[in-house]
Amino acid sequence: MTALFQQLPAIDKLLKTAEGEQLVAEFGHSAVVTECRRLLEQGREQIKREHQLPPEFGDIRLITAALRRQLQQRRQVRMQPVHNLTGTVLHTNLGRALWPAAAQQAAVAAMGGNVALEYDLQEGRRGHRDSYISELLCELTGAEAACVVNNNAAAVLLMLATLAKGKEVIISRGELIEIGGAFRIPDIMQQAGCKLVEVGTTNRTHLQDYRDAINEDTALLMKVHSSNYQICGFTHSVTEQELVDLGREFDLPVITDLGSGALTALSAYGLPAEPTVQDKWRQGVDLISFSGDKLLGGPQAGIIVGDRYLIERLQSHPLKRVLRCDKVILSALEATLRLYLQPERLPHQLTTLNQLTRPVDQLTQQAQALKVRLENHLAQDYILRIEPSPAQIGSGSQPLAEIPSVAVTLEAKTPAKLTALFARFKALPQPVIGRLENDKLWLDLRSLADLNALLDTLEHL
Ligand SMILES: *Cc1c(COP(=O)(O)O)cnc(C)c1O
């Protein structure tokens, strides 16, 4: 075995070959040495297992070719772009909302340059990083002030920690939600140092339940939009309006975690209705929090709008400094929000809304183009059809509402072939992610960002 180990080339010898020198010129000395060590270690492991020199280690050119492949691979970003054909438009695991062009431009401009992030250009002195967005949000929602943090989970944490640390927060049992990625209201309460006071039952909560729970330790009344599930049947919940009246009676603020936080009435675009931020403010809720990358259609952010005095308290809490957004996100969010100043143009300009409202006819045409391209490669082993498909908004918005869509479906002639196909799509240079359902692979056009890019990718199938 020692003799076999000795047949592996020494690193300095490898580097002195013409191929080795070429690699160093391209990738730099340290990266090449690191990769050499890694590769030779693999060679030694293989010798231990198989008691012979692996053929690819017998030839310098094969070794340097393997090194080149590895070095190239390590230069590539592994969080790859994918084509979303799952039918879920706001797919949390695939990065939620696609930024509108205006947001992308604003972000790129901010990335490589300086921006007046905390600099008041009129006065020439220190400004506030949320101020541009705050003004816009007030105009759009009617609220008095706003605060922006990293995501909505952070927004909820900041509200609770600022307004109710060491105190009690009353919330309905039916609203103690868990959403994906370990966001659970009781856990966030605990992290914020608040005591959770659950009232009512899973399916029914009455105003009297809240009233009975109020005592001198109560700091807040809280509502949570039960985004990712619905309770049907014998149910009752207390509206924000009622809770606000109760809050006024006892001088307690009412806060709402709205989750998706639509900034425009979706029903105007033929979509299932979601409560809007404006509605909640009009109903008198003191603070409303929501995500930037769900229905709003912008970058990941958590937005809180509401009462000026309470927002000032959030802004001066040390946690705000921990949770604040950077210049790129704030630029992109501002650009996204500016689109809402022109509501008629919103379905063209806001990518998420565009995806959700594209007419079925248009999706059918796209499905035809996709089917033709796939048939070239797959018609032998699969039955291809164009079928109506139930798409979803995703990210907890309207979990039961189906949005009409169209999919190309692939039915395998044998079951094993279907999983193999799913894997084959995922192995493409830009992986194609569909949905396996009813023994078919569904490629739903509603959630797709770019048909031409998809057709180009499929050349590699
Ligand atoms: C999505 C959601 C959250 C979490 O928002 P992130 O922006 O993902 O942190 C919290 N509450 C509700 C009700 C939600 O729907």
Side-chain angles (χ1 to χ4, degrees), residues 96 151-153 177 179 183 224-225 227 257 259-260 291 293-294:
R96 292 196 186 154
N151 54 30
N152 186 32
I177 60 157
I179 61 161
F183 176 87
V224 179
H225 185 51
S227 33
D257 168 12
S260 261
S291 299
D293 55 352
K294 293 185 179 173

Side-chain angles (χ1 to χ4, degrees), residues 30 35 39 118 122 160 171 195 212 267 355 373 396-397 404 430 433:
S30 4
E35 258 355 283
L39 195 71
E118 294 182 345
Q122 261 99 51
L160 292 172
I171 183 169
K195 181 161 177 255
D212 290 346
S267 46
Q355 288 179 294
R373 173 62 52 91
S397 301
Q430 180 167 347
I433 316 287

Side-chain angles (χ1 to χ4, degrees), residues 7-223:
Q7 285 181 44
L8 291 172
I11 291 183
D12 52 349
K13 243 175 79 188
L14 253 177
L15 296 189
K16 285 204 188 97
T17 61
E19 290 89 345
E21 280 177 356
Q22 179 63 35
L23 287 178
V24 171
E26 269 181 60
F27 298 92
H29 185 265
S30 4
V32 177
V33 169
T34 306
E35 258 355 283
C36 275
R37 290 211 180 101
R38 213 188 292 258
L39 195 71
L40 292 173
E41 184 52 37
Q42 283 168 14
R44 276 189 287 274
E45 289 297 320
Q46 226 168 321
I47 290 173
K48 275 190 222 157
R49 273 197 317 271
E50 296 162 16
H51 303 285
Q52 57 177 1
L53 186 73
E56 64 270 29
F57 282 92
D59 182 328
I60 290 288
R61 261 170 320 184
L62 288 179
I63 297 179
T64 48
L67 278 174
R68 170 174 297 280
R69 272 196 307 276
Q70 284 197 20
L71 283 160
Q72 272 168 346
Q73 225 175 42
R74 286 177 64 79
R75 267 216 290 230
Q76 276 185 356
V77 176
R78 283 188 52 206
M79 197 186 287
Q80 264 175 290
V82 300
H83 295 287
N84 176 8
L85 289 126
T86 60
T88 299
V89 174
L90 297 171
H91 199 302
T92 297
N93 305 139
L94 302 182
R96 292 196 186 154
L98 308 181
W99 294 12
Q104 295 181 35
Q105 283 154 17
V108 168
M111 279 174 196
N114 290 111
V115 294
L117 178 66
E118 294 182 345
Y119 187 85
D120 187 328
L121 287 170
Q122 261 99 51
E123 308 284 328
R125 59 181 164 81
R126 198 186 153 94
H128 193 288
R129 70 171 56 207
D130 293 349
S131 58
Y132 305 106
I133 289 183
S134 194
E135 264 175 47
L136 254 176
L137 281 165
C138 292
E139 186 179 340
L140 292 168
T141 64
E144 292 169 2
C147 173
V148 185
V149 288
N150 193 31
N151 54 30
N152 186 32
V156 174
L157 178 71
L158 180 62
M159 292 193 294
L160 292 172
T162 307
L163 306 177
K165 187 168 181 208
K167 300 207 131 198
E168 297 184 358
V169 180
I170 305 178
I171 183 169
S172 159
R173 222 167 236 130
E175 294 172 14
L176 291 177
I177 60 157
E178 169 178 320
I179 61 161
F183 176 87
R184 287 174 152 195
I185 291 288
D187 296 343
I188 301 282
M189 292 256 185
Q190 197 186 12
Q191 289 302 318
C194 319
K195 181 161 177 255
L196 168 74
V197 178
E198 309 168 32
V199 295
T201 60
T202 305
N203 57 333
R204 289 174 74 84
T205 303
H206 304 276
L207 194 61
Q208 190 63 37
D209 298 327
Y210 289 90
R211 184 183 287 280
D212 290 346
I214 293 176
N215 64 44
E216 63 273 20
D217 284 334
T218 309
L220 280 180
L221 305 177
M222 184 176 187
K223 286 280 288 180

